[in-house]
Amino acid sequence: MADNILELKINGMHCAACSARIEKVVGSLEGIETCSVNLATEQARIQYDPFTTGLQNIQDAISGLGFSAEEKSEASERDLDSFEEKLQVIRSRLVPSFIIAMLIMVISMGHMVGISLPPQIDPIHSPLTYSLTQFLLVLPVLWMGRNFYLTGIPALIRGVPNMDSLIALGTGAAFIYSTWNLVEITLGIDRVARAHDLYFESAAMLIALVSLGKYFEAKSKVKTTDAIRQLMQLAPEEATLLKNGQQLQIPVEDILVGNHILIRPGERVPVDGVIIDGHSSVDESMLTGESLPLVKREGDSLFGGTLNKNGALTLQAEKVGEDTMLARIVQLVREAQGSKAPIASLADRISLYFVPTVMAIAAVAGLSWYFLGDAGFSTSLRIFVAVLVIACPCAMGLATPTSIMVGTGRGAQLGVLVKNGEVLELAGNISCVIFDKTGTLTKGAPALTDIITFGDFKEELVVSLAAGAEMKSEHPMAEALIAAAEERKYLIPESQSFSPIGGKGVEAEFKEGATSSHVYLGNVELLRDKEISGLTKDIEDQAENWAKEGKTVLYVAIDKELAGMLAVADPLKIEAAETIQQLNSMGLDVVMLTGDNEATAAAIAKQAGITRVIAGVLPDRKESEVERLQEEGEVVAMVGDGINDAPALARADVGIGMGTGIDVAIESADIVLMKGDLAGVITAIGLSRATMRNIKQNLFWAFGYNVVGIPVAAGILAIFGGPTLNPMVAGAAMAFSSVSVVTNALRLRWYQPDQDH
């Protein structure tokens, strides 16, 4: 099947029953491979065969359910604003609804708590005026809450009832019953008794309370998009283009690849590129989570959205528009927030049948109390309404996606990009973490780690001549020696001649004035071949100790005399040992995978605190080693640089790519550590565990609330002499059940990496 991915913005969903129904109907269409609908983000992700079905067929199926759908690309600019717009609409109706509802409450129930009413609206003296006043006041409340009826009743007629259907039925039944009593009062039938049997205040207060719950829910949803909103605000709107000696202010979207852009101190970088002039410190915290600014010089890369701190920079644009790192990160976070975790499947299945089941329970409870429980019609109606309005499918539908939205957003703020909800769930179940050695546990480049000089030879002379001897070599060791000399600001002399000695080292000649020096740099075999003096048992023992530590030993001889001994190694990253210790304290097995021989691998592993080492593994065998550990029952996370580790990253249950190989890592890894810092592994696993705990708390609350609330509303306590549940109390409980779930999810906004260890 030639599958395409279609992302749609769904309008009109109000609860988990809506999203579950869309998934079921669209998923049953011919040519649909998968359909996932996210209630929190109001988005659908559909995998389909374009030769069998198309966008129009899918949109028609969704429209037939009473919803509308448009391609996400068309709606993406409005995604963040939509929550704000809904919030404004709800807020504009909420305050007057509550004021009027409270007024109806005072009129209908004030006399019960000692509030004196004017004789004109007193239920005993003027039952008709009393009833008519409530009727006229409830009408504007119902009008402001008309969306419950405009969506709930058509959904009920189509046979796909949702939460709005429950509210419409409950408040509608209370309103119709009360209106019928008003008619009887007008006709003079038992006026005072009928006046005391009105539920206009219940209908009004239920609309107001549920609207309040929806307001808080919408307000909370706005906060769940904070991470994306903050990322999008990083990109400046204008930039300074350097052209023909002039500085021109242009919109960022007009920047072309190759343009030269001036970035002044305090300005944000508009696009990705490379510095061609200037140096400064740059704050990359919003992209990588790194709090300290990084020094940037000519030739270094810059990413759009980062902040130039204190020096003017000239940037040559390399990636613009949707190709910038910031745009790709925003897109990754959007996709992750719109995804689902497998743990949501139970709630989705229940939500599909939840509303019809609640309606059946409400009908059975009301009829049972009327016919079997000797309750009057008024009491039976109150129980019927209470069951309808206490049920909350929204809480179940929001339990998982809101936590994923906040969790993945928080990850982005900490420099950890999680691609989807499934990965977030899997990461919490990891039992084994495999680290590639080179470039992951180590810095990925050899460095001079130890220096010993002999006789009267000074360190500066030994290092300078060693670097000079290697200046014409392409060996990795040469880079380490040259970098060490430059770092120490030693002068590197130019050799007059250079000769590599296969498998042993190099020979170089240096001249200064009339004197010349022969320098030999290499292993112990080179010393013996060239009959270099000064090699003792103590020196050989020291060389052996270095070798056991995984270091390469280089001897430096000047004019046939041993001048010094150098150790070169690919050093561990500073945070490696602490990261391994923390992973062990979290109960995880840690494995190092490397192509090095066993002795070198053991030395590096010992420094890192790793006890389980798989050595001598070539890149093409890394994938099979991951598979072997999976067959042993491990849930495996593979941490690599995303280049030669791509197959192993893909094979692992969770592939974690280091930001140093960012382009490849984004493609091959499930989680990307933007900073390239190993501590990000702790953050990723800890955040996953915290998010899964949060989801389980939400699901427990959502299911527990409905399991307890519905029987209580149905009158189970009254069977044993307890009270029945007032519909207004039921409505308030329902309104705040969703709010509690979303509020709990928002706690993840303050997650810190050290919370799980």
Side-chain angles (χ1 to χ4, degrees):
M1 177 181 286
D3 290 329
N4 280 14
I5 299 294
L6 178 65
E7 294 187 340
L8 298 177
K9 177 73 174 175
I10 308 292
N11 298 309
M13 292 193 298
H14 294 85
C15 68
C18 301
S19 56
R21 179 66 61 181
I22 294 172
E23 284 186 351
K24 182 178 181 181
V25 172
V26 174
S28 65
L29 294 177
E30 185 179 0
I32 300 296
E33 183 70 16
T34 60
C35 176
S36 175
V37 181
N38 189 307
L39 174 63
T41 60
E42 300 178 353
Q43 294 169 8
R45 183 177 175 84
I46 302 166
Q47 187 177 13
Y48 71 103
D49 178 5
F51 298 107
T52 307
T53 190
L55 173 62
Q56 191 60 53
N57 291 342
I58 295 170
Q59 287 179 317
D60 289 345
I62 294 172
S63 298
L65 295 172
F67 309 100
S68 63
E70 61 180 330
E71 285 193 82
K72 189 180 169 187
S73 57
E74 298 172 6
S76 59
E77 295 300 321
R78 305 191 300 273
D79 279 354
L80 295 179
D81 295 333
S82 64
F83 289 136
E84 289 281 5
E85 291 169 2
K86 289 178 182 177
L87 193 61
Q88 294 295 335
V89 171
I90 297 172
R91 185 188 292 126
S92 66
R93 299 174 180 175
L94 183 61
V95 175
S97 293
F98 252 105
I99 292 174
I100 297 172
M102 289 302 296
L103 182 58
I104 299 173
M105 285 281 292
V106 171
I107 294 172
S108 66
M109 305 181 72
H111 62 281
M112 298 180 187
V113 292
I115 298 176
S116 299
L117 296 174
Q120 293 84 355
I121 57 172
D122 186 86
I124 297 175
H125 297 95
S126 304
L128 178 59
T129 310
Y130 169 80
S131 307
L132 189 59
T133 302
Q134 293 183 59
F135 173 78
L136 294 174
L137 286 172
V138 81
L139 291 178
V141 177
L142 297 180
W143 174 252
M144 285 181 281
R146 61 190 178 278
N147 285 345
F148 292 114
Y149 305 98
L150 294 176
T151 58
I153 293 174
L156 182 60
I157 294 171
R158 284 191 299 268
V160 286
N162 55 25
M163 190 199 76
D164 285 354
S165 303
L166 297 177
I167 302 303
L169 274 180
T171 58
F175 175 74
I176 292 170
Y177 177 72
S178 300
T179 302
W180 177 251
N181 280 345
L182 173 61
V183 171
E184 291 192 332
I185 292 170
T186 305
L187 296 174
I189 303 172
D190 203 0
R191 294 176 130 196
V192 175
R194 293 289 184 267
H196 283 100
D197 195 23
L198 300 176
Y199 290 95
F200 289 127
E201 85 284 349
S202 293
M205 191 54 73
L206 283 172
I207 293 292
L209 286 170
V210 175
S211 297
L212 179 64
K214 282 188 170 289
Y215 170 75
F216 283 124
E217 182 184 315
K219 191 173 182 179
S220 298
K221 279 185 177 180
V222 170
K223 293 180 181 178
T224 64
T225 62
D226 278 352
I228 286 184
R229 197 182 302 273
Q230 290 171 7
L231 285 171
M232 293 183 70
Q233 289 173 349
L234 292 178
E237 295 182 359
E238 291 188 334
T240 304
L241 174 68
L242 299 178
K243 187 175 183 180
N244 300 326
Q246 293 183 310
Q247 297 182 9
L248 307 174
Q249 290 297 119
I250 64 170
V252 168
E253 55 265 26
D254 291 346
I255 297 176
L256 302 175
V257 173
N259 283 167
H260 291 180
I261 306 297
L262 175 64
I263 308 167
R264 300 182 181 89
E267 292 183 343
R268 290 201 176 272
V269 180
V271 295
D272 296 358
V274 62
I275 299 172
I276 58 174
D277 186 43
H279 69 276
S280 179
S281 58
V282 177
D283 181 357
E284 297 185 344
S285 59
M286 277 306 295
L287 292 183
T288 66
E290 174 59 68
S291 57
L292 296 177
L294 302 177
V295 176
K296 298 281 186 174
R297 299 182 176 85
E298 186 176 328
D300 288 341
S301 295
L302 288 180
F303 299 107
T306 55
L307 179 64
N308 181 26
K309 300 288 284 186
N310 52 25
L313 298 172
T314 301
L315 177 78
Q316 179 171 302
E318 292 186 336
K319 292 182 179 179
V320 300
E322 296 301 314
D323 294 328
T324 65
M325 186 59 63
L326 179 60
R328 293 171 70 187
I329 290 172
V330 169
Q331 182 58 27
L332 276 175
V333 177
R334 280 184 185 275
E335 291 176 358
Q337 291 191 335
S339 65
K340 282 191 174 183
I343 196 173
S345 58
L346 175 62
D348 290 342
R349 287 196 299 271
I350 292 175
S351 298
L352 186 61
Y353 305 103
F354 182 81
V355 174
T357 302
V358 169
M359 288 181 173
I361 293 172
V364 170
L367 292 172
S368 297
W369 277 103
Y370 183 73
F371 289 108
L372 304 177
D374 259 348
F377 184 79
S378 179
T379 301
S380 301
L381 175 66
R382 189 167 64 248
I383 288 173
F384 173 76
V385 173
V387 172
L388 289 177
V389 299
I390 200 170
C392 189
C394 275
M396 291 188 294
L398 293 170
T400 301
T402 49
S403 296
I404 290 176
M405 285 180 72
V406 182
T408 53
R410 180 58 180 157
Q413 292 174 331
L414 294 171
V416 175
L417 296 184
V418 183
K419 286 196 173 179
N420 55 60
E422 183 177 359
V423 168
L424 197 62
E425 180 173 338
L426 267 175
N429 297 322
I430 288 170
S431 61
C432 175
V433 182
I434 302 176
F435 285 95
D436 172 56
K437 181 183 78 72
T438 305
T440 301
L441 283 172
T442 66
K443 294 182 178 180
L448 181 62
T449 58
D450 300 274
I451 305 169
I452 295 178
T453 59
F454 306 118
D456 294 329
F457 294 104
K458 303 298 183 184
E459 177 185 305
E460 181 175 354
L461 177 66
V462 171
V463 174
S464 295
L465 290 178
E470 290 281 21
M471 279 293 288
K472 297 177 182 179
S473 171
E474 296 179 354
H475 196 280
M477 297 297 175
E479 296 179 12
L481 296 176
I482 294 168
E486 290 176 344
E487 183 181 335
R488 292 166 172 78
K489 294 183 170 50
Y490 294 162
L491 181 65
I492 302 177
E494 183 178 352
S495 63
Q496 302 303 306
S497 64
F498 168 81
S499 302
I501 303 172
K504 297 177 182 178
V506 299
E507 176 183 357
E509 183 180 2
F510 296 89
K511 286 188 178 180
E512 185 177 353
T515 61
S516 64
S517 302
H518 274 82
V519 174
Y520 301 93
L521 177 69
N523 56 27
V524 70
E525 295 298 323
L526 178 66
L527 299 185
R528 289 172 179 147
D529 283 356
K530 299 299 180 180
E531 299 180 348
I532 303 298
S533 62
L535 186 63
T536 65
K537 179 70 166 53
D538 289 342
I539 293 174
E540 289 183 322
D541 288 344
Q542 179 61 60
E544 186 177 344
N545 290 335
W546 280 351
K548 288 179 180 178
E549 294 174 6
K551 300 174 182 178
T552 299
V553 180
L554 297 174
Y555 296 95
V556 182
I558 302 174
D559 293 330
K560 299 289 186 175
E561 186 177 351
L562 188 61
M565 183 168 64
L566 311 176
V568 176
D570 183 5
L572 277 177
K573 290 181 177 178
I574 296 173
E575 73 278 7
E578 183 179 353
T579 298
I580 302 305
Q581 181 183 1
Q582 291 179 352
L583 288 172
N584 287 331
S585 69
M586 294 168 72
L588 299 171
D589 293 331
V590 181
V591 178
M592 187 180 82
L593 200 60
T594 178
D596 289 346
N597 61 56
E598 290 190 7
T600 302
I604 296 295
K606 184 178 180 181
Q607 293 176 40
I610 298 174
T611 57
R612 192 173 179 184
V613 181
I614 303 175
V617 180
L618 298 177
D620 59 349
R621 278 191 50 223
K622 289 182 179 180
E623 180 184 4
S624 60
E625 289 295 335
V626 171
E627 188 175 10
R628 183 177 62 79
L629 287 169
Q630 289 172 324
E631 290 171 352
E632 293 176 4
E634 302 276 15
V635 179
V636 177
M638 172 70 192
V639 186
D641 59 15
I643 302 172
N644 61 1
D645 301 317
L649 288 170
R651 168 62 64 182
D653 297 289
V654 178
I656 302 177
M658 307 298 289
T660 47
I662 187 64
D663 287 330
V664 181
I666 283 182
E667 297 302 324
S668 58
D670 301 306
I671 297 175
V672 181
L673 308 182
M674 294 296 296
K675 192 165 52 173
D677 189 330
L678 289 173
V681 178
I682 305 291
T683 302
I685 296 174
L687 178 63
S688 171
R689 289 181 173 183
T691 304
M692 291 311 300
R693 278 198 305 270
N694 195 273
I695 288 173
K696 290 172 182 177
Q697 290 165 0
N698 284 347
L699 288 172
F700 175 81
W701 166 253
F703 283 115
Y705 164 82
N706 284 292
V707 166
V708 173
I710 292 174
V712 170
I716 193 169
L717 296 180
I719 296 175
F720 303 100
T724 57
L725 189 65
N726 187 295
M728 285 183 287
V729 175
M734 186 278 286
F736 287 97
S737 62
S738 297
V739 176
S740 65
V741 165
V742 180
T743 302
N744 185 51
L746 287 173
R747 293 191 303 112
L748 291 169
R749 296 167 72 200
W750 295 280
Y751 171 79
Q752 293 298 328
D754 59 354
Q755 288 178 202
D756 280 276
H757 46 82

